[in-house]
């Protein structure tokens, strides 16, 4: 079980490596380096954040993922009238260069601009899907720097990025005992951190996924799969049986 998990995690890390490189000079280290970055010289510190989500699908899963990302930033949330960093989804980034616009138009592509000349400081996010919008939010947060408890430093930025592959993920399709519930959950959480999209369940030794596919799972076998599917949904990953 654990050795299979280690191999799967190694494969996931390898697949993600195509988007990993050094961050642009002057920006904090980030797992993913955007394909387009136009960096200004001004910086400013913010002490709170508010997010306008009306342009998203509004699902509980999407809103929960936004809350989790904001919590990880260490910034307290505040009402729009008093926050110092406003993040707006569903915007069109004005005057976006053609190369960046082309990247943002790709599948799961996005662009955003952080404007320090307005009050509050505003990051407008342009994305064609909720998944892409969440990638943009995580990138914007990753490219800000903590400068003390409840404070982050922002740089004037225009960013565009998109993944090289539409489907990115793991197939649990090996022989031998399937993953334990804990192993599968761990793998799904790592996949989410690495922006994987798809988990395919089909262990060779699970007869209910093969020759007995038309029979319902017994309760003791169904529960771990239901749990994994729920975790996948919460992490923004498509769980395929």
């Amino acid at each position: 079980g654990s050795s299979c998990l280690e191999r799967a995690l190694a494969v996931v890390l390898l697949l993600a490596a195509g988007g990993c490189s050094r961050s642009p000079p002057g920006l904090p280290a980030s797992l993913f380096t955007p394909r387009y970055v136009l960096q200004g010289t001004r910086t400013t510190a913010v002490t709170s954040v508010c997010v306008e989500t009306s342009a998203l699908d509004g699902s509980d899963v999407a809103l929960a993922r936004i809350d989790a990302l904001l919590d990880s930033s260490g910034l307290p949330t505040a009402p729009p009238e008093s926050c110092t960093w406003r993040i707006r989804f569903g915007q069109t980034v004005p005057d976006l260069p053609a190369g960046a616009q082309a990247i943002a138009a790709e599948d799961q592509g996005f662009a955003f601009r952080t404007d320090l000349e307005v009050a509050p400081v505003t990051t407008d996010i342009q994305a064609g899907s909720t998944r892409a919008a969440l990638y943009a939010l995580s990138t914007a947060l990753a490219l800000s720097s903590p400068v003390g408890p409840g404070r982050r430093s922002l740089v004037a930025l225009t960013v565009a990025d998109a993944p090289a592959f539409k489907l990115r993920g793991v197939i649990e399709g090996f022989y031998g005992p399937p993953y334990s519930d804990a192993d599968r959950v761990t793998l799904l959480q790592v996949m989410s951190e690495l922006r994987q999209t798809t988990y395919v369940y089909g262990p060779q030794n699970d007869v209910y996924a093969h020759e007995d596919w038309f029979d319902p799972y017994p309760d003791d076998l169904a529960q771990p799969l239901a749990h994994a599917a729920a975790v996948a949904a919460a992490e923004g990953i498509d769980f395929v049986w």
Side-chain angles (χ1 to χ4, degrees):
S2 60
S3 61
C4 288
L5 178 63
E6 289 166 1
R7 288 196 294 272
L9 290 173
V11 170
V12 171
L13 288 168
L14 180 63
L15 290 172
C20 302
S21 58
R22 292 183 179 179
S23 295
L27 293 177
S30 175
L31 179 60
F32 297 94
T33 299
R35 289 160 55 186
Y36 178 91
V37 178
L38 179 61
Q39 183 177 346
T41 57
R42 280 198 58 197
T43 63
T44 192
V46 294
T47 55
S48 60
V49 63
C50 56
V51 179
E52 295 181 12
T53 60
S54 58
L56 291 181
D57 63 16
S59 70
D60 291 341
V61 169
L63 296 178
R65 285 181 57 73
I66 289 170
D67 287 342
L69 287 169
L70 295 180
D71 286 345
S72 69
S73 75
L75 287 174
T77 56
E81 61 271 16
S82 61
C83 70
T84 57
W85 184 15
R86 176 177 59 184
I87 300 173
R88 302 191 297 187
F89 291 102
Q91 304 300 307
T92 298
V93 177
D95 303 320
L96 193 62
Q101 191 71 259
I103 293 170
E106 294 179 18
D107 188 78
Q108 299 171 50
F110 63 83
F112 68 81
R113 176 171 293 154
T114 298
D115 186 352
L116 308 188
E117 304 294 334
V118 296
V121 171
T122 298
T123 297
D124 284 333
I125 292 176
Q126 173 181 326
S129 67
T130 297
R131 174 175 277 159
L134 292 171
Y135 291 162
L137 175 60
S138 65
T139 302
L141 293 171
L143 294 179
S144 65
S145 303
V147 289
R151 291 174 62 88
R152 296 188 79 87
S153 177
L154 302 182
V155 181
L157 281 176
T158 300
V159 170
D161 200 12
F165 301 96
K166 179 179 179 179
L167 296 178
R168 307 173 301 282
V170 168
I171 299 174
E172 183 183 345
F174 49 81
Y175 288 93
Y179 292 143
S180 69
D181 186 40
D183 282 350
R184 199 173 287 118
V185 167
T186 297
L187 181 53
L188 286 164
Q189 291 170 339
V190 172
M191 288 172 63
S192 177
E193 290 292 322
L194 298 177
R195 297 186 186 172
Q196 307 295 286
T197 63
T198 308
Y199 190 97
V200 179
Y201 176 85
Q204 300 300 318
N205 285 18
D206 183 346
V207 297
Y208 295 99
H210 295 284
E211 57 264 32
D212 293 342
W213 62 268
F214 47 84
D215 290 334
Y217 276 88
D219 288 344
D220 61 327
L221 297 179
Q223 193 279 330
L225 288 185
H227 182 217
V231 171
E235 297 291 349
I237 295 169
D238 298 328
F239 190 91
V240 181
W241 181 87

